[in-house]
Amino acid sequence: GINAEYGEYFQHHYITNNLRMSRLVPRLTSILVRANSAQLHTTPICNVNITFVERGVDRPVKAIRGDSLMETAKDNQINLPAVCGGMCECSTCHVIADVTTFSKLPEPEEEELDVLDEVAGVTDTSRLACQIDISRDLEGARFIVPDSFTDMR
């Protein structure tokens, strides 16, 4: 009946919102740390060298540890639309890691794999930039930026 349907609806949205919040907390923490650094007149640690490859052209950038790869791309005017703002919902931050880089990345979560299943041009080393956090392990990493994107929302 109506109560059962409402219960299923509530349960789905409760779980979905909790998943969104669990992804949002680390991002907010990163933002707060950066804001605190600015307030103390210091600069964030930008010492991880990453290369984005756009249309065959290498675009080396300095990345801030703790930021997502998506944030790094946006901060450096890399062409990643990132329509959903890093919530792992749209696939417009799809990147292709080179084999060496891919081996350094943590395993993707099931939610990321579900989004990637729907992406045109996905490869064995495809990832969503919003799900990759910058760490020292990514020194020298290379990510190919696809020429086109599909919004999977």
Side-chain angles (χ1 to χ4, degrees):
I2 292 174
N3 285 340
E5 288 176 21
Y6 178 76
E8 289 175 18
Y9 172 85
F10 177 79
Q11 182 179 14
H12 169 76
H13 286 284
Y14 177 78
I15 290 169
T16 302
N17 287 335
N18 278 340
L19 285 171
R20 285 186 181 137
M21 287 304 294
S22 69
R23 288 192 310 271
L24 188 59
V25 168
R27 301 290 179 246
L28 288 174
T29 302
S30 174
I31 290 167
L32 290 173
V33 166
R34 289 176 73 184
N36 192 33
S37 293
Q39 192 173 26
L40 296 173
H41 306 290
T42 62
T43 56
I45 300 172
C46 302
N47 61 355
V48 181
N49 295 296
I50 292 177
T51 300
F52 291 96
V53 181
E54 286 188 293
R55 300 188 186 279
V57 177
D58 284 7
R59 299 268 318 272
V61 302
K62 296 270 189 196
I64 299 170
R65 289 191 318 235
D67 276 2
S68 71
L69 185 64
M70 179 205 73
E71 291 167 319
T72 300
K74 299 300 268 178
D75 289 347
N76 289 280
Q77 292 75 47
I78 302 296
N79 183 31
L80 278 182
V83 174
C84 75
M87 299 304 289
C88 194
E89 294 177 349
C90 71
S91 78
T92 60
C93 67
H94 169 227
V95 292
I96 301 167
D98 70 8
V99 176
T100 304
T101 298
F102 189 78
S103 68
K104 297 177 184 178
L105 298 174
E107 291 290 318
E109 303 267 338
E110 190 65 33
E111 185 177 15
E112 180 181 359
L113 293 173
D114 290 344
V115 173
L116 286 170
D117 282 344
E118 304 298 322
V119 175
V122 72
T123 71
D124 290 340
T125 61
S126 287
R127 293 294 302 267
L128 297 180
C130 67
Q131 299 301 298
I132 299 172
D133 290 324
I134 302 298
S135 68
R136 289 182 195 197
D137 295 339
L138 291 182
E139 176 66 33
R142 292 177 59 82
F143 296 93
I144 297 169
V145 178
D147 292 340
S148 63
F149 298 91
T150 305
D151 186 350
M152 300 312 300
R153 288 181 296 163

